[in-house]
Amino acid sequence: MLNVFLVGKLINLVVLEGTEAIAKIMAFRNDPKLGCFIGRTFPFTTERTVEDINGKDKVFLGIAQGEEIIGFITLRNINLINGTAKMTTFIGAEQNLGKGVGREAHELMLQYAFNTLNLRKISAAIFAFNKRSIRCLEKSGFRREGVLEREYFVNGEFHDDILFRLFREEWLARHATLD
């Protein structure tokens, strides 16, 4: 039984606990086909994964459809004084892409970030080759803020990291027009 933290229509965001949940996150992160999307350099062990999930300045939640964890979403580097955080999203299986799952995960996490944690700005960084994630962030209201050129070495070559941001007032204005 998953511990649901935020409820959506397509997915729920769940607290990650127990050996099955940890193993699922490790499998996503260590998968050779998927690891390139998160800049995986070293293998994720159980200890390293648990340490990451339970970090002091972050919220690390599983993305679940029914009882299956299909990905994860995080707010990292949460700074309550500055009102900022960095968001990362990861969907593990090809069959879950392009169906609004990432966008709903963003929406649930942004509601939590802006309305509960009272943050004012959320940032994200995406490798330039990850076109799907770029589109998803843009559909969620994020704007490009800059580019870190040739920032990450992935699969034998250097890639740009595209920086995005979303301010609370932009998110609120967008919701006012959607209602």
Side-chain angles (χ1 to χ4, degrees):
M1 185 77 142
L2 296 175
N3 183 354
V4 176
F5 185 69
L6 298 170
V7 177
K9 293 177 184 161
L10 300 172
I11 51 101
N12 293 322
L13 299 185
V14 300
V15 176
L16 294 165
E17 53 191 2
T19 54
E20 278 186 46
I22 303 301
K24 186 73 167 186
I25 297 305
M26 282 175 43
F28 289 145
R29 289 174 143 189
N30 288 321
D31 185 316
K33 293 178 196 156
L34 303 175
C36 68
F37 293 105
I38 57 173
R40 181 200 65 195
T41 308
F42 300 105
F44 280 90
T45 62
T46 301
E47 181 180 345
R48 189 167 172 217
T49 302
V50 169
E51 185 178 287
D52 192 31
I53 289 171
N54 295 319
K56 292 179 186 174
D57 64 346
K58 71 177 66 159
V59 175
F60 195 122
L61 298 170
I63 299 170
Q65 279 186 324
E67 290 295 311
E68 182 185 2
I69 296 171
I70 62 168
F72 58 86
I73 187 167
T74 68
L75 287 178
R76 299 176 177 276
N77 304 82
I78 297 171
N79 185 315
L80 296 175
I81 294 169
N82 293 326
T84 59
K86 293 181 176 144
M87 188 172 75
T88 58
T89 311
F90 183 87
I91 309 293
E94 186 77 27
Q95 71 264 20
N96 295 314
L97 300 175
K99 296 182 178 177
V101 169
R103 188 147 178 232
E104 184 169 294
H106 288 169
E107 189 56 35
L108 291 170
M109 189 61 96
L110 291 168
Q111 284 176 6
Y112 175 71
F114 293 136
N115 293 338
T116 302
L117 296 180
N118 197 32
L119 300 179
R120 64 175 189 83
K121 178 184 178 184
I122 305 299
S123 302
I126 303 292
F127 295 141
F129 62 80
N130 192 347
K131 305 296 186 203
R132 251 191 185 141
S133 289
I134 290 169
R135 279 193 309 276
C136 187
L137 278 176
E138 290 172 341
K139 285 180 180 179
S140 295
F142 282 79
R143 291 188 164 165
R144 290 179 192 227
E145 191 167 56
V147 175
L148 299 174
E149 293 181 13
R150 298 185 307 268
E151 184 71 7
Y152 287 101
F153 190 71
V154 178
N155 293 334
E157 59 185 286
F158 285 95
H159 296 274
D160 294 348
D161 206 14
I162 302 176
L163 307 177
F164 289 87
R165 60 97 180 123
L166 178 63
F167 287 103
R168 175 197 285 141
E169 59 269 15
E170 294 169 334
W171 182 78
L172 289 170
R174 183 183 165 115
H175 281 269
T177 60
L178 295 176
D179 291 337

